Amino acid sequence: PRSSNRRGRYIEVLIIEQEERGANTIEQTGVDDRRPTTNETKMKTMMMLTTWMMLCLLLNGACAQAPPTPQDAPAAPATEDAPAAPAADAGDQGASGAVDSAETAEKPETIGEDCLPNENNEFVFKVNLWEYQYEVEGCEGVAPTLKIKRGVEYTFVQEDVSNWYHPLGLAYYPDGAHDGVPELEEPTPAECDEEDYMCNPGEGVQQAPLYCINNNCETYEDWNNGVTSGLDVYEPVFQRPEDQWVEEGGEGSYAVKITIPEDSKTAEFYYFCHIHSGMSGKMIVEDPAPDANQLVTPLAADYYGPPPEEFDVACGTFDNVTMFHTEKDKYCPDMTFVCDPTGTPFSQCMEAIDCKMNAEMRVKEKEDNKLALFMEQMIPHHWNAILMSRIALKHS
């Protein structure tokens, strides 16, 4: 789930989906309303993003003030024409409050850190599009563990544009409907009484997400009617083109409300994305009932992907490039990327990431989608620049 290959597939899927929706619009209305999805606009967008990325690699600390780029883009290594940018103090923060790139470049994002709501009992969600996990404003890392109490209504705010195509859901086990496990619904699913799940919150207990669009929220009395409110209205809106999603959300945007009643036996459950699997995070009730349920199956240790190998830790890459070092003859036979290599750890790391880029850029041409080929080669190419910078920060 943390591989660069997944990033390429994900972006490609979004482009194909947008093109299909645009074609349907023309067929139904006779009007070409595909402004955000024309090839020209997409090419300009990709070039803008890649330009910002390269600028961030060259200018240490620029990422903290450049919205189109990830916060953890590292500084560039030295070249003959330009020396490496000096590392800033690890505690420095940019104008946006983002941690300086030098602090985050040598370690991966933390996962599952404890997270408390803000003063309004809100969790303000964003999506980290590099990790493909949710993050919450004011909380460290991705997929934070949300701490809540019984009898309190909490609001999950999905106003940030990164939430587009990522409608939140709540389930008793990771990934909800993606894995066919019970979700928080009204009434409680019968499966919660089965031995495989044992998640019934108690007879008559109502605990289910209430979905809101532009401050209009559903109620338990008319839960998920599928016409004017509920998940069956909320989720489809998230699959519309981005500009329509923003317009439909209005000033109140999108939110999900949840209350775990005082008499509930639920001690923990999960938030997840209704469209993409692998984006779950844990929720813990800090004051559970004395007879609270114990979930049958805990979150798998490798749910967020395997931990980095020892070689990756030594390189500072944290992107599982080890196999391109240990199995280089398989992926890059008879190839050398660093002339007259010294065999030092630095040299070995550079050879490994260059082999990774070379192997991942060897893709089949897609005659019906030329932008897919552009992205499938551009992404590993530019991701390699980030890995190079991480190695430089680690070893120089």
Side-chain angles (χ1 to χ4, degrees):
R2 297 163 69 88
S3 72
S4 55
N5 281 343
R6 181 176 175 185
R7 298 184 187 95
R9 289 196 299 272
Y10 179 81
I11 295 174
E12 179 185 346
V13 166
L14 287 185
I15 283 187
I16 293 172
E17 288 173 344
Q18 282 199 347
E19 287 177 339
E20 289 174 348
R21 285 195 298 273
N24 291 337
T25 300
I26 295 174
E27 182 178 349
Q28 294 169 9
T29 66
V31 177
D32 187 346
D33 191 24
R34 295 181 296 173
R35 291 183 300 276
T37 62
T38 61
N39 286 347
E40 180 183 359
T41 301
K42 287 184 290 188
M43 287 292 288
K44 288 181 178 178
T45 301
M46 282 302 299
M47 294 311 296
M48 179 191 71
L49 290 173
T50 53
T51 300
W52 273 112
M53 181 183 291
M54 296 312 296
L55 284 174
C56 281
L57 293 170
L58 294 170
L59 301 174
N60 185 40
C63 294
Q65 300 183 33
T69 59
Q71 291 182 2
D72 64 346
T79 66
E80 293 182 0
D81 298 323
D89 180 75
D92 289 349
Q93 294 192 2
S96 65
V99 179
D100 188 88
S101 59
E103 181 180 357
T104 61
E106 295 187 21
K107 60 178 184 291
E109 291 277 8
T110 57
I111 298 175
E113 294 292 320
D114 289 349
C115 177
L116 297 175
N118 63 22
E119 64 275 10
N120 298 318
N121 286 325
E122 296 173 333
F123 294 100
V124 180
F125 276 76
K126 297 181 180 180
V127 175
N128 184 316
L129 296 177
W130 292 94
E131 298 289 340
Y132 289 109
Q133 298 294 340
Y134 288 111
E135 57 186 20
V136 174
E137 186 177 283
C139 298
E140 183 178 353
V142 297
T145 297
L146 310 186
K147 297 293 190 73
I148 63 173
K149 296 181 181 295
R150 288 182 295 166
V152 179
E153 182 182 74
Y154 296 91
T155 302
F156 299 167
V157 179
Q158 291 202 275
E159 181 179 9
D160 189 84
V161 71
S162 65
N163 286 285
W164 174 60
Y165 249 85
H166 300 290
L168 278 163
L170 300 175
Y172 292 101
Y173 291 89
D175 284 331
H178 297 293
D179 277 356
V181 298
E183 298 183 14
L184 277 69
E185 297 177 346
E186 171 57 30
T188 297
E191 293 89 339
C192 274
D193 291 320
E194 298 178 4
E195 291 184 0
D196 289 343
Y197 303 117
M198 303 298 292
C199 53
N200 195 324
E203 185 176 354
V205 173
Q206 289 182 314
Q207 56 181 37
L210 301 178
Y211 288 92
C212 310
I213 300 177
N214 197 14
N215 292 327
N216 295 316
C217 303
E218 65 177 326
T219 65
Y220 284 122
E221 290 72 24
D222 193 27
W223 191 79
N224 196 25
N225 64 39
V227 178
T228 60
S229 63
L231 175 63
D232 291 343
V233 174
Y234 193 85
E235 180 179 345
V237 174
F238 276 69
Q239 299 183 59
R240 296 181 185 177
E242 182 181 341
D243 56 341
Q244 295 180 24
W245 177 81
V246 172
E247 182 179 358
E248 184 74 16
E251 294 184 1
S253 194
Y254 301 91
V256 184
K257 295 181 180 293
I258 183 64
T259 303
I260 301 301
E262 294 280 0
D263 55 350
S264 173
K265 296 181 180 180
T266 296
E268 62 182 62
F269 56 104
Y270 294 85
Y271 60 87
F272 70 100
C273 174
H274 266 290
I275 296 177
H276 304 98
S277 61
M279 294 181 63
S280 297
K282 185 179 290 187
M283 296 192 63
I284 293 180
V285 179
E286 292 190 285
D287 56 344
D291 57 345
N293 298 324
Q294 297 296 317
L295 296 184
V296 177
T297 307
L299 184 68
D302 60 351
Y303 178 82
Y304 298 108
E309 300 280 351
E310 183 178 348
F311 179 78
D312 280 273
V313 175
C315 289
T317 50
F318 296 101
D319 197 46
N320 292 322
V321 302
T322 301
M323 63 182 181
F324 298 97
H325 169 66
T326 58
E327 302 179 66
K328 183 183 175 186
D329 290 341
K330 172 183 176 181
Y331 294 101
C332 304
D334 301 321
M335 296 183 189
T336 300
F337 303 98
V338 178
C339 298
D340 300 322
T342 61
T344 63
F346 174 78
S347 175
Q348 293 179 22
C349 294
M350 295 297 287
E351 279 284 322
I353 64 169
D354 288 345
C355 176
K356 178 178 186 293
M357 177 188 69
N358 183 286
E360 292 181 350
M361 287 185 69
R362 285 181 246 138
V363 297
K364 291 183 179 180
E365 182 179 359
K366 297 175 176 60
E367 182 60 29
D368 59 341
N369 193 340
K370 295 178 174 59
L371 281 179
L373 176 62
F374 167 80
M375 289 187 174
E376 287 182 356
Q377 290 198 325
M378 181 66 75
I379 289 171
H381 180 265
H382 279 65
W383 188 246
N384 193 56
I386 293 177
L387 296 182
M388 290 174 67
S389 300
R390 289 178 175 176
I391 293 173
L393 286 169
K394 180 82 172 183
H395 293 270
S396 64

